[in-house]
Amino acid sequence: MRKEKQVRLAEKRSVFEALVAEHEAALLRYVARILHDADLAQDVVQNALVKLFRRWRDVVKPGVNIGNWLYRVAHNEAVDCIRKRQRRQLLHFKQGVERQTLEHREHNPLFRENHAREKVQAALEALDMRERQVVLLKIYEEKSYREISDITGLSSGNVGYILHHAIKKMAARLSDAEKQAKDIEYHEKQSET
Amino acid sequence: MKNKAKHNVTMKKCEDIQKSLLAYMTRELGKAPSELVSRHLRKCKACQAEAAEVRATLKLLRQESRAEPHWPSRLSDEHRRRIAWTMDHPALDWLCARHAAVSILVALLVVLAVLGLAWRAARVRQDIRVQETVYPITIGRPPFHTNHTDPVPENPAPEDVSAPEATP
């Protein structure tokens, strides 16, 4: 009886380790994109995997896509993490810290080089959490509407609707940023002449 | 068949075409709707402009995704150790996972134990007080009597029986 239990535990462990090996890279990438922090992403993914082990019987059964389940749990953990971070930032005089980072960015030569990337990042950040999740899953993780629907709990039609609006918002924001950049360039040239 | 016909009618509107542009570009639309969209795009300028905007945004996003920093693809050893600990100590992990509930339960048990002890001490003190009031402890006399009535003296004093008055 005891031996049987040990064998079952060993099997579970080996399956779990195989699942970790299969999903950890994608989950780390996805969570790091949400949090912009590789260390925090490690914590979040670890928590998601621990949850998988704890809820083994509910998750590892036919009809449940473990990868999608892990994406869902990791996303919720990441959102919790953002909320905690926001609360902490409020406590640590958020404005002061932000001003410092902005000043640091403007003096940083790499910032100008990566300006296009920064614009896309800013447009992505301007989306609400649900929109950002759907965009990340579709464009970055290349998931299908059905998979996104499974991860988010939304219907496929709703996923399409949210994506459409998110891309429209991003396009508008990016074109605004482009116009602003052109204006600044124009004014700079005029002041030089 | 009916659905298909309905779909064809609704898909003709520019608004619907524009809403399905992203699905069309990411190959989420079926074959028939995709053909409808491409046919519409060939002749509609407004939808062409919209499609160009969506395509440009998608291109920027894809470029950004490729230019991203390399996020770690493996969990660190420390995080792996934490997961292994969960696998090795499921009972402790169960307690850790419910630490808030367990803490509240332990706190409640401690409070109940303290209240119980206090109640017991109060009872004992009350008993002593009752005994002291009924049988006050005096020096030189045993504190308790076996009989509740006053002791009867061994040689009771003869009753003072007065002689009956002489009657005339």
Side-chain angles (χ1 to χ4, degrees), chain A residues 124-137:
Chain A
L124 202 56
E125 292 289 320
L127 300 176
D128 67 45
M129 202 27 138
R130 181 61 94 191
E131 289 171 334
R132 204 175 347 150
Q133 181 190 19
V134 175
V135 169
L136 285 178
L137 287 170

Side-chain angles (χ1 to χ4, degrees), chain B residues 57-156:
Chain B
T57 311
L58 273 180
K59 194 180 165 189
L60 273 174
L61 273 169
R62 282 184 180 139
Q63 275 174 355
E64 204 271 331
S65 77
R66 270 180 238 125
E68 258 190 340
H70 288 289
W71 302 111
S73 58
R74 252 183 119 255
L75 277 170
S76 69
D77 290 342
E78 195 189 320
H79 290 87
R80 277 176 187 281
R81 268 198 295 278
R82 168 75 181 87
I83 296 172
W85 183 85
T86 306
M87 292 194 278
D88 295 336
H89 306 91
L92 277 176
D93 179 61
W94 188 90
L95 281 176
C96 285
R98 290 154 186 83
H99 64 91
V102 170
S103 313
I104 290 168
L105 196 73
V106 168
L108 268 174
L109 283 175
V110 168
V111 168
L112 281 175
V114 168
L115 283 174
L117 280 172
W119 178 75
R120 180 104 186 105
R123 279 283 305 264
V124 168
R125 224 175 292 140
Q126 200 181 358
D127 282 354
I128 292 170
R129 220 176 293 136
V130 166
Q131 283 167 2
E132 278 177 358
T133 49
V134 176
Y135 308 108
I137 301 164
T138 48
I139 297 162
R141 193 178 166 184
F144 301 110
H145 302 288
T146 48
N147 198 348
H148 279 256
T149 52
D150 283 335
V152 181
E154 279 176 15
N155 299 317

Side-chain angles (χ1 to χ4, degrees), chain A residues 176-190:
Chain A
D176 280 353
E178 192 91 350
K179 270 179 206 163
Q180 275 180 359
K182 273 181 187 167
D183 281 352
I184 290 167
E185 217 170 286
Y186 175 76
H187 285 299
E188 273 177 4
K189 270 184 189 171
Q190 276 214 330

Side-chain angles (χ1 to χ4, degrees), chain A residues 50-68:
Chain A
V50 165
K51 273 191 179 168
L52 170 66
F53 192 77
R54 281 180 194 153
R55 300 186 59 189
W56 191 259
R57 276 187 205 162
D58 303 331
V59 182
V60 184
K61 60 183 180 189
V64 177
N65 186 321
I66 299 167
N68 290 351

Side-chain angles (χ1 to χ4, degrees), chain A residues 9 13 16-17 20 24-25 28-29 32-33 36-39 42-43 45-46 49-50 53-54 117 120-121 124 135 138-140 143-146 160-161 163-164 167-168 170-172 174-175, chain B residues 15 18-24 26 28 50 53-54 57-58 60-65 67-69 71-80 82-84 86-88 90 93-94 96-98:
Chain A
L9 201 73
R13 213 179 153 139
F16 179 75
E17 274 162 10
V20 170
E24 65 181 332
L28 280 168
R29 199 177 51 223
R33 276 175 186 146
H36 302 293
D37 188 326
D39 294 331
Q42 295 251 343
D43 290 344
V45 173
Q46 172 213 278
L49 290 168
V50 165
F53 192 77
R54 281 180 194 153
R117 255 201 81 204
V120 177
Q121 275 292 335
L124 202 56
V135 169
K138 182 68 205 159
I139 314 291
Y140 289 67
K143 299 274 180 199
S144 69
Y145 278 18
R146 197 177 292 172
Y161 176 83
L163 255 177
H164 168 74
I167 295 291
K168 289 280 287 175
M170 286 188 78
L174 285 169
S175 72
Chain B
E15 204 183 320
Q18 285 173 13
K19 272 181 192 167
S20 54
L21 277 175
L22 192 78
Y24 168 70
T26 53
E28 287 285 345
E50 185 78 14
E53 197 182 51
V54 172
T57 311
L58 273 180
L60 273 174
L61 273 169
R62 282 184 180 139
Q63 275 174 355
E64 204 271 331
S65 77
E68 258 190 340
W71 302 111
S73 58
R74 252 183 119 255
L75 277 170
S76 69
D77 290 342
E78 195 189 320
H79 290 87
R80 277 176 187 281
R82 168 75 181 87
I83 296 172
T86 306
M87 292 194 278
D88 295 336
D93 179 61
W94 188 90
C96 285
R98 290 154 186 83

